[in-house]
């Protein structure tokens, strides 16, 4: 059980976490799709959020991350996010977040309201390709994925800021991330995803009509970021 302490820090599984929480070494792969806003809109019903729509389509990102070092230790993560809006705040609505360790699960739920759940993930995010096999802890298949990019790295370290949105009870939690990323490779339509059945992540992706191909893919050899305390916003 995570406990908020008097000084604003948290105790999780007997360990103290201070904010911002820092991730110092991770690698990532992303596939960005455009899904029909009308089909995905049910995922934000009664959340206080609305989907960002462009010509009737909303960006959806499948994210695969290997965390090697940081305040939340090492683990793998597979996430589904939709671009959403809460009043004047725009950012990713984290709809699903599968993680492979219980410490980050408890911390993510308590500190930022993230919908983390425990799973098994085999990720290989090296070079211009990325592969994933995600299963429930029982071994039932959730999804497999293979992402491809062009061989050339972007020769820059890029800073970035985003605000993650998470509905929680009668509020929306807004959590700001600031970080930087390098070793980026980009690709077009280079991903193949196979969905399992009987799991909420796979079933939701199938129900909203996940396209066969993404519009873009991205891999990053290294990213680091700090995640601040969540700010509760009224719905």
């Amino acid at each position: 059980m995570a406990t908020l302490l008097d000084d604003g820090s948290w105790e999780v599984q007997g360990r103290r976490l201070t904010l911002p929480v820092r991730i110092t070494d991770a690698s990532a792969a992303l596939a960005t799709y455009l899904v029909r806003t009308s089909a995905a809109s049910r995922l934000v019903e009664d959340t206080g959020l609305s989907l960002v729509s462009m010509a009737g389509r909303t960006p959806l990102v499948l994210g695969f991350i290997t965390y090697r070092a940081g305040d939340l230790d090492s683990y793998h993560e597979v996430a589904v996010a939709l671009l959403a809006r809460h009043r004047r705040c725009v950012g990713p609505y984290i709809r699903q977040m599968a993680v492979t360790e219980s410490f980050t699960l408890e911390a993510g739920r308590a500190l930022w309201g993230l919908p983390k759940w425990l799973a098994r993930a085999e990720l290989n995010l090296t070079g211009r390709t990325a592969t994933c096999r995600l299963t429930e802890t029982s071994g039932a298949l959730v999804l497999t994925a293979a992402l491809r990019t062009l061989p050339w790295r972007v020769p820059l370290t890029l800073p970035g800021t985003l605000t993650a949105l998470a509905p929680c009870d009668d509020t929306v939690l807004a959590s700001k991330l600031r970080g930087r990323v390098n070793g980026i490779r980009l690709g077009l339509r280079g991903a193949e995803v196979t969905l399992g059945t009987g799991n909420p992540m796979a079933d939701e992706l199938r129900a909203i009509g996940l396209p066969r191909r993404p519009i873009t893919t991205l891999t990053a050899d290294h990213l680091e970021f700090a995640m601040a305390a969540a700010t509760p916003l009224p719905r």
Side-chain angles (χ1 to χ4, degrees):
M1 179 68 69
T3 304
L4 178 62
L5 304 178
D6 292 340
D7 63 358
S9 64
W10 287 80
E11 184 177 285
V12 181
Q13 295 185 3
R15 292 171 50 185
R16 184 167 173 263
L17 281 176
T18 59
L19 292 156
V21 167
R22 300 185 183 279
I23 303 301
T24 54
D25 185 22
S27 56
L30 307 176
T32 301
Y33 297 82
L34 291 179
V35 299
R36 288 182 293 114
T37 305
S38 59
S41 60
R42 68 176 186 83
L43 302 182
V44 295
E45 290 178 353
D46 301 320
T47 65
L49 302 175
S50 60
L51 295 179
V52 173
S53 183
M54 299 168 286
R57 302 281 172 168
T58 294
L60 179 148
V61 175
L62 276 178
F64 310 90
I65 306 177
T66 293
Y67 295 89
R68 289 182 289 270
D71 294 341
L72 300 181
D73 298 336
S74 60
Y75 63 99
H76 297 309
E77 177 179 281
V78 179
V80 176
L82 294 149
L83 188 61
R85 176 184 291 107
H86 175 73
R87 300 181 183 179
R88 288 180 294 179
C89 183
V90 175
Y93 162 42
I94 312 299
R95 177 65 186 180
Q96 296 275 353
M97 185 170 277
V99 296
T100 57
E101 298 295 335
S102 64
F103 181 76
T104 185
L105 182 149
E106 290 190 28
R109 288 180 176 178
L111 275 66
W112 305 290
L114 296 173
K116 293 189 176 185
W117 50 278
L118 201 61
R120 299 174 180 170
E122 300 171 14
L123 297 185
N124 185 345
L125 309 182
T126 58
R128 58 174 297 198
T129 62
T131 59
C132 168
R133 179 178 175 83
L134 177 67
T135 64
E136 298 178 1
T137 55
S138 66
L141 178 67
V142 179
L143 62 81
T144 62
L147 281 63
R148 298 177 301 281
T149 64
L150 297 171
W152 307 285
R153 291 188 183 94
V154 176
L156 297 170
T157 296
L158 301 177
T161 301
L162 61 83
T163 300
L165 301 173
C168 185
D169 298 325
D170 293 328
T171 66
V172 172
L173 298 180
S175 306
K176 184 163 287 188
L177 288 79
R178 297 181 185 274
R180 57 181 183 174
V181 58
N182 59 37
I184 296 173
R185 296 177 175 87
L186 301 172
L188 295 174
R189 301 180 61 81
E192 297 176 1
V193 175
T194 300
L195 301 175
T197 57
N199 174 272
M201 177 185 279
D203 290 348
E204 284 185 355
L205 290 172
R206 183 178 292 105
I208 64 176
L210 184 75
R212 185 168 176 267
R213 298 291 185 187
I215 56 170
T216 62
T217 55
L218 178 151
T219 61
D221 295 338
H222 173 78
L223 64 92
E224 57 186 87
F225 61 89
M227 192 163 182
T231 300
L233 306 174
R235 288 196 182 184

